[in-house]
Amino acid sequence: MRAHVLAALGVLKLATADQMHRLMAPGHKDNKAFRNAALDLARHGLAVSEGSARDGNKLWSLMPLGLDAAAEVLDRPVGEMGGTARGAARSGAPHAMAVNETVIAITRTPATATRPVPRQQPAPTAPPAPEQAPAPGLVLEAQGMGWIGSWSTEVPLSLPTSRGNRAGVRADAVLHVPEAGLPVLFVEVDNCTESAAPWRPSSRSTCATSG
């Protein structure tokens, strides 16, 4: 469970136990195991909580030692891990929370069983019924893409800006799932604080865009 927390925070930088639970192991009954794992990492100087999200849930981020440990869990070079998001939790981090929810929604980690299921003798079954079309209006759950290791957040892009600072352009999240036919997806998540028109490349104008 500590590895789950390290991996989640290594990518998201800042998250609640509920978000880590839904992203990493939604098959668990609740997020208690994630809260306990985060507290344990904090006792050992790997994680820290410096504030709460606007819904009241405690926010967690990594300390430098935790970032090194997360790099091992994710099998990434330490130099590619980015920063530790120190101090970001004090404002409630609404934008980071929205990015996390977008990552969770796209990944859709399957809720696999978390405990062994006792083997039982299979009972005789009737022949399978022919497949039927879903009832009108029924929305089927879409399959997700990738896993936590497929994501990166706050990725600097080599793009020109109005200020001429090429390092100032960052993608909120980047997804790599070549095995699913998706070499790269850049995701921009906004909080709808500006009108949609007129749109300018330097302004945040939509609720969520990708390209």
Side-chain angles (χ1 to χ4, degrees):
M1 192 55 62
R2 289 191 293 268
H4 277 333
V5 173
L6 287 169
L9 294 180
V11 173
L12 302 179
K13 306 308 179 197
L14 193 69
T16 66
D18 175 68
Q19 288 177 328
M20 291 187 282
H21 165 230
R22 289 186 285 121
L23 175 62
M24 303 300 296
H28 278 257
K29 180 180 179 180
D30 53 38
N31 60 35
K32 183 178 179 180
F34 283 87
R35 297 198 308 269
N36 291 339
L39 287 169
D40 184 67
L41 291 172
R43 283 193 293 267
H44 290 85
L46 277 73
V48 64
S49 177
E50 297 179 311
S52 299
R54 293 184 176 179
D55 60 5
N57 287 314
K58 184 178 291 187
L59 286 169
W60 293 95
S61 61
L62 294 177
M63 301 288 283
L65 285 177
L67 204 61
D68 293 343
E72 293 186 16
V73 172
L74 294 166
D75 193 23
R76 292 182 180 178
V78 175
E80 295 181 5
M81 294 299 295
T84 58
R86 290 300 305 273
R90 296 165 189 165
S91 63
H95 181 255
M97 298 299 96
V99 173
N100 294 354
E101 292 299 330
T102 302
V103 171
I104 294 168
I106 294 176
T107 307
R108 293 181 183 271
T109 304
T112 55
T114 57
R115 293 185 178 181
V117 178
R119 290 189 176 184
Q120 298 179 353
Q121 292 295 331
T125 58
E131 293 186 3
Q132 298 181 352
L138 179 63
V139 179
L140 300 180
E141 185 75 10
Q143 184 177 358
M145 301 184 70
W147 66 293
I148 188 63
S150 307
W151 288 94
S152 300
T153 59
E154 292 297 321
V155 180
L157 305 177
S158 181
L159 294 172
T161 68
S162 58
R163 299 179 180 179
N165 180 12
R166 300 179 70 87
V169 179
R170 292 176 176 269
D172 287 335
V174 177
L175 174 63
H176 295 272
V177 197
E179 64 274 15
L182 182 66
V184 62
L185 176 71
F186 297 92
V187 181
E188 176 71 14
V189 181
D190 299 323
N191 290 335
C192 300
T193 55
E194 296 185 14
S195 61
W199 184 85
R200 299 188 305 276
S202 60
S203 67
R204 293 173 177 261
S205 54
T206 60
C207 297
T209 59
S210 63

